[in-house]
Amino acid sequence: MRKTTLITGGAGYIGSHTSLALIDAGHNVLVLDNLCNSCRECIARLEYLAHTRIDFINGDICDSSLLADIFSRYDIDTVVHFASLKSVEESTLKPLDYYTNNVGGTLNLCRAMAHHGVFKLVFSSSATVYGDPVQTPILEDFGTGKPANPYGRTKLMIEELLTDLCNADPRWSIALLRYFNPIGAHESGLIGEDPHGRPNNLLPCLTQVAIGRLPELTVYGCDYPTVDGTCVRDYIHVVDLANGHLKALEVLQHHNGIHYWNLGTGIGYSVLQIIHSFEDITGITVPYRFAPRRLGDIAKCWADPSKAGRELGWRAQRGLEQMIIDTWRWQSCNPLGYQSSFEVPALIEVK
Ligand code: NAD
Ligand code: UD1
């Protein structure tokens, strides 16, 4: 039997792009996703892009008997773990759901892995584990801070429990990948970010305004101590992020223990800079209005990605223009996300 990489949450935004990158690099993948924030159509499109059938299981990481069955049936040697609930606002309203799904699900997964002798894991962490950083750019050495919400705290708790696992048992080999702000989409325009319900993140909100699904963009806060008063973030192309996972997997083959890396570009852009870049590149005006600061937002957050550069040989290749072109291609070719009819897209015209 061929060695298999299990990808939890592989039908989601980052998981789908990483699944494709892994298949392209020759990995045999098995996707496990309960589709609570994704859909089956994504897998169909991945199969089209990858020119291969993809093993997909519609199931939940909280289901221990399902995990036992999966680990017995497939020769899994590595897990890339994306499955998580990720809405900050929802996490403040339903903390039990978040701790159960994210922390409980991860515990369940680790138990099943250990039981079946699988000790390599890549975990989707977040810059949120730094809390409000003392300075920017953020280095891994700063240590973790105080995340401002239950979602962030689930990420920090999972980082800590995975660190404890590595300390207790030297067979574990775990990468904590701290993503900054993933945006963009695969250049085909066939897969991209399609959150269920109302989007929370900046780019999905902005493109839904541009496509006419939302009337205007709300810009949260114009009085931050930044270049123009709006918050600054490190936006990273999702395909660059996906490639970071491939590099992390290579390192895990030869280095046991706990590893952590920032995956960002090292460049910060303000909300207004993003809006104006989008308008310049697409020629579309984005109506927006200022509103008070959003609870839990921090003024500035961008990475120092040099540790990933040194240790993984990884660095982001795609700049902001490419991120915006690819985001817009995805949104304009799929106005209703994965509910849009499947069309092989032409390249979009840019100004
Ligand atoms: P996403 O919601 O698109 O993908 C997560 C996937 O996990 C979804 O397909 C969902 O259906 C699935 N899922 C959730 N709970 C599950 C469960 N119990 N069992 C099986 N499947 C389950 O989110 P994303 O943006 O692709 O994020 C992927 C990972 O990266 C998450 O862990 C998220 O917290 C983390 N992350 C995301 C961002 C971001 O801005 N998108 C930033 C930092 C970290
Ligand atoms: C948010 C989460 C973070 C999580 C990440 C990925 C918060 C406080 N942080 O990061 O924990 O890991 O998403 O899911 O929610 N903005 C607007 N108008 C909008 C949307 C966003 O002005 O309609 C602004 C925000 O105030 C922020 C910036 O755009 O300054 C980026 O926001 P977002 O895309 O939500 O990412 P983060 O807040 O950085």
Side-chain angles (χ1 to χ4, degrees):
M1 222 190 325
R2 238 177 110 197
K3 295 283 182 206
T4 297
T5 303
L6 172 65
I7 306 186
T8 75
Y13 172 46
I14 306 169
S16 56
H17 289 80
T18 307
S19 297
L20 186 59
L22 285 172
I23 295 168
D24 285 348
H27 288 249
N28 188 34
V29 311
L30 166 65
V31 172
L32 169 65
D33 198 305
N34 66 3
L35 304 182
C36 69
N37 197 35
S38 51
C39 58
R40 189 68 179 76
E41 171 67 12
C42 173
I43 302 295
R45 294 191 186 192
L46 279 179
E47 288 180 329
Y48 174 83
L49 289 170
H51 308 290
T52 183
R53 211 186 67 75
I54 294 172
D55 281 331
F56 171 70
I57 295 172
N58 180 350
D60 200 305
I61 55 165
C62 297
D63 181 344
S64 334
S65 52
L66 174 69
L67 290 185
D69 181 52
I70 289 173
F71 279 95
S72 318
R73 278 201 291 133
Y74 293 84
D75 189 10
I76 294 166
D77 67 345
T78 309
V79 178
V80 186
H81 177 31
F82 296 98
S84 162
L85 298 175
K86 66 160 186 175
S87 159
V88 168
E89 193 186 355
E90 188 184 54
S91 78
T92 63
L93 302 171
K94 300 178 178 171
L96 267 182
D97 288 358
Y98 273 68
Y99 289 110
T100 305
N101 192 72
N102 296 2
V103 182
T106 303
L107 279 172
N108 225 22
L109 179 67
C110 291
R111 270 194 195 289
M113 289 175 67
H115 188 72
H116 290 87
V118 180
F119 293 100
K120 285 188 195 51
L121 175 72
V122 176
F123 171 64
S124 298
S125 190
S126 164
T128 194
V129 300
Y130 292 111
D132 194 353
V134 280
Q135 66 185 78
T136 42
I138 301 172
L139 274 163
E140 291 87 345
D141 291 353
F142 290 1
T144 52
K146 272 185 171 295
N149 50 69
Y151 162 75
R153 284 189 279 278
T154 68
K155 291 289 163 189
L156 184 55
M157 279 183 187
I158 296 167
E159 282 209 359
E160 287 173 346
L161 83 84
L162 295 177
T163 306
D164 287 341
L165 269 188
C166 286
N167 289 337
D169 184 338
R171 288 174 298 176
W172 283 97
S173 171
I174 298 181
L176 310 175
L177 301 185
R178 295 173 179 163
Y179 310 157
F180 280 67
N181 287 61
I183 62 170
H186 188 260
E187 61 177 7
S188 64
L190 286 176
I191 56 170
E193 184 167 17
D194 183 24
H196 288 180
R198 189 172 56 84
N200 298 306
N201 296 120
L202 179 61
L203 262 289
C205 290
L206 189 157
T207 54
Q208 291 202 6
V209 171
I211 202 90
R213 277 173 70 177
L214 294 173
E216 65 179 1
L217 181 69
T218 306
V219 176
Y220 299 118
C222 56
D223 57 352
Y224 285 100
T226 59
V227 56
D228 54 23
T230 64
C231 294
V232 173
R233 295 289 182 273
D234 184 337
Y235 296 93
I236 175 170
H237 197 295
V238 66
V239 172
D240 281 328
L241 194 64
N243 290 334
H245 293 70
L246 279 179
K247 296 289 188 182
L249 284 171
E250 284 167 22
V251 170
L252 291 191
Q253 297 302 323
H254 308 291
H255 300 277
N256 287 11
I258 192 86
H259 308 273
Y260 38 91
W261 292 290
N262 285 343
L263 296 185
T265 63
I267 303 170
Y269 290 102
S270 74
V271 175
L272 286 181
Q273 286 171 335
I274 295 289
I275 296 173
H276 295 140
S277 301
F278 182 89
E279 292 181 330
D280 287 347
I281 291 166
T282 63
I284 296 169
T285 302
V286 177
Y288 67 87
R289 73 176 167 85
F290 290 113
R293 293 178 176 197
R294 189 172 69 175
L295 200 67
D297 271 346
I298 53 176
K300 298 179 223 172
C301 177
W302 69 92
D304 180 328
S306 54
K307 184 168 185 279
R310 279 193 313 276
E311 296 177 6
L312 297 178
W314 172 91
R315 120 179 133 73
Q317 305 286 329
R318 294 160 181 79
L320 184 62
E321 183 172 351
Q322 193 63 50
M323 298 186 219
I324 288 177
I325 289 173
D326 290 340
T327 303
W328 183 236
R329 184 187 297 111
W330 156 252
Q331 180 69 82
S332 53
C333 292
N334 304 273
L336 300 175
Y338 285 110
Q339 285 176 39
S340 311
S341 58
F342 180 106
E343 281 169 30
V344 180
L347 287 182
I348 61 160
E349 275 180 37
V350 291
K351 246 176 41 176

